[in-house]
Amino acid sequence: AAGHARDALAALTAWQAAQRARPAAARPNRLTLAVADSLRGDLAWQAGDRAAADAAWAAAAEAPVDEATARTLAAKRHLADRLEAAPLLRHLLCAGGPHARAEAILDAVPAALAGDPVAMVLWARRALRFGDEAAAVQVLEHVLPALREGHPLMYAEAARVLGRALARSGRCAELAALGPALTTPGQLSELRERCALANRAAPP
């Protein structure tokens, strides 16, 4: 797999060099180049070059990418040097790796990376997707303080996922306690409506 990643990395690096050699008006737009930088980082990580991976991801993050892309780049940069996070990056976060079942990779996160708040947000998001609101709430309430400083994108994502988990659970008082600082007023209003519906739908 590392050999294939190196071959793909060499081809992509050559393509990027060719684009830089073209007149500015003929080059791809910034977002296309950012996608290429992100992919170059993924392939460099798969090939074992952590420094090159981080540099490429940093270059991608300088472009006007959307929040989800920026969040993924930040997560990869945070986890790239952690040996316990290697399966998460190799199979799920980085392109160019071998196929694996996402459920199996994420199921291993609590045991391998329980102390890492960024990894646990990824796990909690999956828990909520599969209907385990209680586990998602427990994890997210625990990691939110650790994300507040230094991980603004993951902090915002954790707050959003926590809000959804609380709303789906009908825990409206706890949802109100999150406050508008953790989400936009429009999102908070929608979550409160969902929470009220969840309570009305609950069996007596």
Side-chain angles (χ1 to χ4, degrees):
H4 293 156
R6 281 191 289 270
D7 291 343
L9 178 61
L12 179 58
T13 301
W15 179 85
Q16 287 187 291
Q19 302 314 305
R20 286 193 293 270
R22 300 175 70 184
R27 294 173 193 164
N29 62 45
R30 289 185 66 192
L31 289 179
T32 299
L33 295 174
V35 170
D37 282 329
S38 179
L39 178 57
R40 180 161 53 89
D42 291 0
L43 294 172
W45 188 91
Q46 299 283 13
D49 192 339
R50 305 294 195 265
D54 189 70
W57 290 330
E62 291 177 0
V65 296
D66 60 58
E67 184 179 341
T69 300
R71 186 170 59 241
T72 300
L73 289 166
K76 289 189 286 193
R77 296 186 71 191
H78 171 77
L79 294 167
D81 291 325
R82 295 206 57 173
L83 181 62
E84 306 92 331
L88 192 58
L89 276 90
R90 181 175 300 114
H91 300 294
L92 296 186
L93 295 179
C94 291
H99 173 74
R101 289 179 60 248
E103 292 83 357
I105 301 301
L106 288 166
D107 282 346
V109 166
L113 291 157
D116 190 292
V118 171
M120 292 309 296
V121 171
L122 301 178
W123 180 87
R125 196 166 57 186
R126 182 258 182 187
L128 180 61
R129 187 177 302 122
F130 283 86
D132 195 346
E133 290 88 358
V137 168
Q138 182 179 9
V139 165
L140 292 168
E141 288 183 334
H142 177 72
V143 302
L144 263 179
L147 294 167
R148 187 185 297 272
E149 299 294 332
H151 301 284
L153 293 171
M154 294 305 294
Y155 177 78
E157 175 68 358
R160 282 192 291 265
V161 177
L162 177 56
R164 291 199 296 270
L166 291 171
R168 282 168 53 168
S169 303
R171 297 163 67 172
C172 302
E174 292 170 75
L175 175 61
L178 279 177
L182 299 185
T183 185
T184 67
Q187 288 173 327
L188 187 57
S189 176
E190 180 183 350
L191 289 173
R192 284 173 172 161
E193 290 179 10
R194 290 186 185 181
C195 196
L197 286 172
N199 281 324
R200 286 199 290 271

